[in-house]
Amino acid sequence: MPVLVRFARKPAVVAMVHVAALPGTPAHRLSWQDTLQLAEEEARLCREAGADAVLLENMHDRPYPCGQTGAEITACMTLLGAAVKSAAAPLPCGIQILAAANREALAAAAAAQLDFIRAEGFVFAHIADEGWIGSSAADLLRYRRAIQAESVAIFADIKKKHASHAVTADVSLVETARAAEFFLCDGVVITGSVTGSPPLVEEVAAVSQAVSVPLIVGSGVHAGNVQSLARHADALIVGSSIKRDGNWENPVDPFRLEELVRALRS
């Protein structure tokens, strides 16, 4: 049975907290205390501006290792996850560690008592800008059982952004989603081609009709399109559009998030 994440409303608005570049990565600049404080402040802003959940991600760590990450990143993300969960309480919180470091994300989520992870490369394989990313479903679900983390939901990206899917060009988005459900994911994530780009509404509708697990729109949601995408979604991950000037690299802008929430609930 799928693991249920108890969002207060449907569709849920899942606000991104992009933590500052972590130790050992090319863009690392801030002290640990400043990194922690910034993440906590953004989580609080997201909660106060009307988000239904928070998703933590190390997007500033570019370029990302492929399929794994260092122990220092896992340790930092675990501590950040615990801090963000406390700051955003009582909202559900999740984590993603780039790129496709799904085991590490699951371990961090279990230790920090988070509610879900976002996983790349759950079914089928693709070429991302980090390299070849293969299917991780069998390993990841066995690992979740082994570390007794079965309360942590796994939301699986399908045909994800920033990647070439030529090797699976004969497998449709709908069939990929069905495969992810068959391989026991707890939800599927649909994106556009790049960060800030939305998926087609027709694709979201088709996948929604094809699977019984929750469907999450994972990119390109903004105040102008939120209602059309929300008709077929259980949750909407919002990142670029709720940042200052609509740029994911900038801090969270609570006014942009409030505008999006108003547009959705109106």
Side-chain angles (χ1 to χ4, degrees), residues 1-13:
M1 294 292 293
V3 177
L4 295 178
V5 178
R6 300 197 180 280
F7 297 122
R9 296 179 289 188
K10 179 183 174 182
V13 173

Side-chain angles (χ1 to χ4, degrees), residues 5 7 12-16 46-47 50-55 88 91-94 116:
V5 178
F7 297 122
V13 173
V14 182
M16 292 296 307
C46 290
R47 182 197 67 207
D52 302 299
V54 171
L55 175 57
L91 302 185
C93 292
F116 62 94

Side-chain angles (χ1 to χ4, degrees), residues 25 72 109 146 178 189 200 232 236 251:
T25 63
E72 72 285 354
R178 285 176 173 155
V189 182
L200 297 175
H232 311 287
L236 307 157

Side-chain angles (χ1 to χ4, degrees), residues 24-87:
T25 63
H28 174 61
R29 299 290 184 273
L30 294 184
S31 69
W32 172 246
Q33 193 56 45
D34 287 344
T35 299
L36 197 64
Q37 182 177 344
L38 183 60
E40 290 173 327
E41 288 175 355
E42 292 209 344
R44 278 192 291 270
L45 284 175
C46 290
R47 182 197 67 207
E48 292 166 359
D52 302 299
V54 171
L55 175 57
L56 187 71
E57 185 185 65
N58 63 325
M59 196 162 173
H60 287 281
D61 285 356
R62 56 185 170 166
Y64 318 110
C66 188
Q68 60 182 3
T69 195
E72 72 285 354
I73 302 301
T74 307
C76 288
M77 290 295 282
T78 302
L79 289 173
L80 285 160
V84 163
K85 184 173 178 66
S86 177

Side-chain angles (χ1 to χ4, degrees), residues 213-266:
V213 294
L215 184 152
I216 300 102
V217 175
S219 72
V221 180
H222 53 75
N225 67 7
V226 65
Q227 286 199 1
S228 60
L229 291 170
R231 291 191 186 100
H232 311 287
D234 296 277
L236 307 157
I237 296 173
V238 293
S240 299
S241 68
I242 64 165
K243 301 301 184 76
R244 187 188 303 154
D245 300 324
N247 185 340
W248 73 264
E249 296 184 70
N250 291 335
V252 168
D253 182 338
F255 299 106
R256 294 179 72 100
L257 177 52
E258 287 171 359
E259 179 187 24
L260 185 145
V261 172
R262 281 197 303 271
L264 174 62
R265 308 298 178 196
S266 64

